[in-house]
């Protein structure tokens, strides 16, 4: 009989493409992955892995079994969801990720509500940017991810995931109090063509959105500084080192010396939560989605 945990290891290898990636996804050591695969090869009586340079690749038999493993694990997830639904209570463990400002602006109220209303549910949260959060849900590393996209740049969502909106998050432009536009009631992005920008890390979804949006208006942005956290960006603005986009979610308290002004043609982020369709009937997933919606409604 095939061992479920060894099939899970094979599935992780197929998805991540390496022993180290599988180990990271499963939160185990690389030697534990290798041991599980050796035992699985013994069980099936066939070679599942072959050397590929310094790494490994799946053999034909390995790919075939990995396809079955993915279906088996999906059925196990459905069985767990059915059992939880039949029990009718949000209990057990639930893993949620959120991007940094949602972690600060949405998750505290959400987790407090879940603890009060569902004492048998243990919720763990992880801070992940939107794209890694979606990937972690697809892999099954977490159960739900709070993610975002922008009004003019959607985040790709793979098939097999359910998406529930939480709130629209307006974003202003933050600038030093001495900036010539600081006393305006509205601004246009084109007015910052000569300013230095403080943005997110290279390759991050929000940074790519900013480049896409400014270049679409004929502006080649001058990037002065990069910071992952909005509060760090705002501290740099307060020091007079540039301007930045400042979404309203989780940005308070604002540092002294910073002014935020709305953009005339409103700039908004859409915030939503995603989870796997095979987990949709789980009471814990439904309870968390409802708590997130309530936390989002409290911010409007």
């Amino acid at each position: 009989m095939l061992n479920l945990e060894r099939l899970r290891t094979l599935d992780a290898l197929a998805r991540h493409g390496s022993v180290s990636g599988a180990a990271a996804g499963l939160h185990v050591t690389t030697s534990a992955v290798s041991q599980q695969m050796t035992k699985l090869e013994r069980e099936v009586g066939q070679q599942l892995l072959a050397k590929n340079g310094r790494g490994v690749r799946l053999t034909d038999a390995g790919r075939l079994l990995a396809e079955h493993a993915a279906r088996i694990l999906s059925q196990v997830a459905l069985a767990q969801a059915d059992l939880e639904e039949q029990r009718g209570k949000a209990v057990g463990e639930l893993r949620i990720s959120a991007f940094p400002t949602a972690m600060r602006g949405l998750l505290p109220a959400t987790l407090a509500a879940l603890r009060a209303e569902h004492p048998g549910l243990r919720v763990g949260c992880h801070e992940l940017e939107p794209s890694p959060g979606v990937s972690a849900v697809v892999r099954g590393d977490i159960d739900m991810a709070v993610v975002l996209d922008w009004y003019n740049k959607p985040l790709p969502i793979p098939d097999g995931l359910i998406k529930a909106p939480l709130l629209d998050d307006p974003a202003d432009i933050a600038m030093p109090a001495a900036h010539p536009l600081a006393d305006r009631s509205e601004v246009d992005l084109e007015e910052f063509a000569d300013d230095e920008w403080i943005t997110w890390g290279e390759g991050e979804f929000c940074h790519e959105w900013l480049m896409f949006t400014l270049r679409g208006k004929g502006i080649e942005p001058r990037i002065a500084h990069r910071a992952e956290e909005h509060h760090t960006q705002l501290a740099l603005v307060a020091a007079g080192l540039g301007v930045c986009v400042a979404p309203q979610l989780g940005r308070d308290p604002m540092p002294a010396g910073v002014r935020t002004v709305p953009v005339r043609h409103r700039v908004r982020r859409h915030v939503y939560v995603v989870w796997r369709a095979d987990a949709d009937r789980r009471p814990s997933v439904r309870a968390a989605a409802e708590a997130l919606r309530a936390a989002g409604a409290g911010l409007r």
Side-chain angles (χ1 to χ4, degrees):
M1 183 176 293
L2 295 172
N3 179 281
L4 187 61
E5 286 309 307
R6 289 167 200 153
L7 291 179
R8 199 180 302 279
T9 302
L10 176 63
D11 177 66
L13 263 171
R15 287 186 285 103
H16 292 280
S18 68
V19 171
S20 60
L26 295 169
H27 307 291
V28 299
T29 64
T30 54
S31 67
V33 170
S34 298
Q35 290 170 17
Q36 289 283 60
M37 290 306 301
T38 298
K39 292 176 181 177
L40 184 58
E41 286 182 328
R42 219 164 29 232
E43 283 180 349
V44 301
Q46 294 191 63
Q47 184 180 359
L48 303 175
L49 296 179
K51 288 189 178 299
N52 184 30
R54 294 185 177 182
V56 295
R57 62 173 176 81
L58 293 178
T59 64
D60 289 344
R63 286 194 295 271
L64 177 64
L65 186 57
E67 291 172 3
H68 285 289
R71 289 193 291 270
I72 290 167
L73 293 170
S74 180
Q75 284 300 122
V76 169
L78 283 171
Q80 291 172 330
D82 284 344
L83 285 171
E84 192 175 322
E85 183 185 35
Q86 193 272 338
R87 190 167 49 215
K89 293 182 179 179
V91 296
E93 295 186 5
L94 188 72
R95 300 156 297 172
I96 302 176
S97 77
F99 59 93
T101 48
M103 180 71 84
R104 182 169 59 248
L106 276 178
L107 265 291
T110 299
L111 297 177
L114 288 172
R115 174 175 287 186
E117 296 170 16
H118 306 283
L121 180 63
R122 299 183 303 278
V123 184
C125 58
H126 311 267
E127 189 171 290
L128 289 176
E129 291 294 337
S131 293
V134 169
S135 297
V137 172
V138 170
R139 293 194 305 267
D141 295 340
I142 60 171
D143 300 299
M144 308 175 76
V146 179
V147 298
L148 66 90
D149 59 21
W150 292 86
Y151 70 103
N152 59 343
K153 192 173 178 64
L155 178 72
I157 300 296
D159 292 339
L161 298 187
I162 290 175
K163 171 179 171 180
L166 299 177
L167 72 149
D168 279 352
D169 183 27
D172 304 325
I173 303 300
M175 64 199 79
H179 193 283
L181 304 177
D183 292 329
R184 292 268 296 275
S185 60
E186 291 182 325
V187 291
D188 292 308
L189 288 175
E190 292 89 340
E191 296 180 272
F192 298 92
D194 296 326
D195 281 274
E196 293 186 321
W197 285 87
I198 299 160
T199 182
W200 299 266
E202 184 73 40
E204 282 197 17
F205 183 71
C206 288
H207 170 75
E208 296 302 323
W209 164 80
L210 182 62
M211 299 299 99
F212 168 80
T213 301
L214 293 178
R215 286 169 179 162
K217 294 182 177 294
I219 301 169
E220 184 54 40
R222 298 165 57 200
I223 304 302
H225 305 284
R226 296 179 182 275
E228 306 295 333
E229 278 278 355
H230 285 135
H231 279 195
T232 305
Q233 294 181 12
L234 291 171
L236 294 169
V237 172
L241 299 174
V243 301
C244 75
V245 175
Q248 293 182 14
L249 177 64
R251 80 181 181 194
D252 292 331
M254 290 286 293
V258 175
R259 298 289 183 271
T260 57
V261 182
V263 179
R264 192 182 319 280
H265 300 289
R266 293 292 183 252
V267 172
R268 293 181 180 274
R269 306 190 301 180
H270 307 302
V271 181
Y272 47 94
V273 59
V274 298
W275 62 88
R276 288 168 60 118
D278 57 20
D280 190 44
R281 295 195 297 273
R282 291 177 58 188
S284 57
V285 168
R286 293 178 180 176
E290 182 54 39
L292 282 164
R293 279 191 287 266
L299 298 174
R300 296 192 183 105

